[in-house]
Amino acid sequence: MTAATAPPDGDVLAFVESPVQLLNVLEWAHRSGHGNPAVPGDERAGVLPEPSPSGLTVVVLAPHDPMTRGQLRRMAQLARDEGHHVEWAQARGGALAPLRTIATLAGPLRRARRLAIGDPFSRYVQLLLTLARPTAELTVVDDGTATMEFVGQLARGERLVRWHRKGARGPRALLFAPVAAMARRRLRPGEGREVEVFSAMPVQAPARVRTTVNEFAWTRARFGPPTVARGTDMVGTSLVETGVVDEERYLEAVRSLARAHGATRYFAHRRESTAKLHRVATEAGLEVVRPDLPLELVARRGPIGRTILSFPSTVVHTLPLALTGTGVRVAVCDVDPAWLTARASPRASGFLAAVTGTASGAQRLPSGPAAAAS
């Protein structure tokens, strides 16, 4: 991102690092009344359109992963179609890229009336929060199941640590600690300053933090209803890639579920490795589909199976909302504690059980052999 026209005073400035975060910014904008007829944008990175008449500017802090970048570019175009201003920041393109990005955003951060963020655990986002004006209001939109852990840690006054990490503090974490502490203060409401959590997840926000329910109204209005096929689809997770679940145990569970429920397609998570997906295709006999958009939009566009199988993940909460009225059944399979690796956080088993147990719109399947019987 190069020097660009700054968003005007009073605008909402959103920072996203994943397609799901951008989807939920669009849902929040729809719910809160930010949105105008389409405004043409310039596709070239770093060349920005005029400030958005919708009042919302989305800054994409682009990651390295090519699958994530591809989905983000498609989501960015959807945001432009809604009349929002989108900036694509090459935030990780070399050693000096973060400094250039922060320097470019310093002015807009000081002027923004409200910030919307998708990942309060991100060090990049925490650093940007410390540069915002103290009176800026804040909205935290869903970043999937991590939102549940964030709200719990915020309520308990704990430092922010992702649920699947053990929380060991290395030298970099100690150096960053003062910035993280200041960011935590910004994540709490202050004198005349509101903090909102916009979420489809079952969260209990701490005192004075406003909770707004994400019902996926924009998704339902913009896409579908889908064609519903007679078969069964399965949704993949990155639990193996994040070191939580053993790969062999995971693949055995995929094979068992596919046989028991007649699944034919496997919608891959954007972070799943190519090698693991090859095994899913060859050993479980599933057609691997790499979605070009978040699964909520892919399912809403269809065609989609009448039954969707998943392991504990965000989609067991969001898909029932996105597919309301379609007759599609979402079923979630528990993760057996025996599947966890030695690297998994001590909190992993309880957290995954909570993700499954609180998914009121999904049918719960047991783990292990009992899942096949069900």
Side-chain angles (χ1 to χ4, degrees):
M1 182 173 64
T2 58
T5 303
D9 288 349
D11 270 5
V12 179
L13 194 58
F15 296 101
V16 300
E17 298 174 272
S18 78
V20 167
Q21 292 172 27
L22 182 43
L23 168 60
N24 289 314
V25 166
L26 294 180
E27 290 288 351
W28 174 83
H30 179 81
R31 173 67 183 262
S32 59
H34 290 274
N36 274 321
V39 177
D42 194 321
E43 289 290 342
R44 294 170 292 168
V47 181
L48 309 180
E50 291 300 311
S52 168
S54 76
L56 170 64
T57 294
V58 179
V59 179
V60 179
L61 301 172
H64 292 299
D65 175 59
M67 288 297 298
T68 304
R69 289 172 71 93
Q71 286 194 17
L72 271 168
R73 287 205 177 274
R74 294 177 183 90
M75 287 302 303
Q77 188 54 53
L78 289 176
R80 293 186 181 100
D81 291 345
E82 295 298 309
H84 306 307
H85 176 120
V86 180
E87 300 186 9
W88 185 275
Q90 298 292 359
R92 296 172 172 85
L96 296 179
L99 294 177
R100 286 196 297 266
T101 300
I102 291 168
T104 302
L105 292 172
L109 275 165
R110 286 192 295 269
R111 290 187 292 271
R113 175 184 58 83
R114 178 180 292 272
L115 301 180
I117 63 171
D119 184 7
F121 293 99
S122 165
R123 288 182 178 177
Y124 216 135
V125 169
Q126 290 178 9
L127 179 57
L128 293 172
L129 282 177
T130 66
L131 302 177
R133 69 183 185 186
T135 57
E137 297 180 334
L138 182 67
T139 293
V140 179
V141 303
D142 261 339
D143 185 32
T145 54
T147 307
M148 298 168 64
E149 188 71 352
F150 158 69
V151 171
Q153 291 177 9
L154 186 67
R156 296 187 294 269
E158 299 172 354
R159 63 189 181 92
L160 302 181
V161 180
R162 298 183 194 275
W163 67 267
H164 56 80
R165 293 183 180 170
K166 290 189 175 180
R169 304 191 76 177
R172 291 179 62 186
L174 291 174
L175 287 173
F176 194 78
V179 174
M182 184 180 293
R184 285 200 304 275
R185 289 194 292 272
R186 292 292 176 89
L187 288 163
R188 291 185 172 278
E191 186 74 27
R193 183 175 62 84
E194 179 189 76
V195 173
E196 174 191 23
V197 175
F198 178 76
S199 177
M201 311 304 290
V203 295
Q204 294 291 328
R208 299 191 300 138
V209 173
R210 181 162 65 93
T211 303
T212 305
V213 177
N214 178 6
E215 298 175 332
F216 282 85
W218 176 81
T219 295
R220 295 199 307 273
R222 188 77 157 75
F223 298 96
T227 300
V228 179
R230 299 184 111 185
T232 298
D233 293 323
M234 188 179 297
V235 178
T237 78
S238 60
L239 291 173
V240 171
E241 284 71 17
T242 53
V244 176
V245 169
D246 176 76
E247 181 170 334
E248 298 304 323
R249 299 282 191 139
Y250 179 82
L251 290 169
E252 176 55 36
V254 169
R255 289 192 293 267
S256 298
L257 286 168
R259 286 194 303 266
H261 297 273
T264 56
R265 291 192 300 176
Y266 181 97
F267 286 97
H269 189 281
R270 57 189 171 80
R271 290 180 180 165
E272 287 189 89
S273 72
T274 301
K276 190 185 83 176
L277 292 176
H278 177 72
R279 294 187 65 186
V280 168
T282 57
E283 298 176 23
L286 293 168
E287 175 193 355
V288 174
V289 179
R290 281 198 176 268
D292 61 348
L293 289 167
L295 191 58
E296 294 80 5
L297 304 187
V298 171
R300 189 69 194 176
R301 290 190 308 179
I304 193 70
R306 188 164 297 279
T307 298
I308 300 175
L309 302 175
S310 177
F311 295 96
S313 73
T314 305
V315 298
V316 302
H317 293 269
T318 59
L319 281 180
L321 295 172
L323 296 170
T324 296
T326 64
V328 174
R329 177 178 72 114
V330 178
V332 54
C333 177
D334 281 319
V335 168
D336 191 312
W339 301 355
L340 301 181
T341 69
R343 293 180 294 156
S345 163
R347 298 176 296 159
S349 182
F351 182 79
L352 291 171
V355 171
T356 303
T358 55
S360 58
Q363 176 187 348
R364 189 169 185 175
L365 302 177
S367 57
S374 67

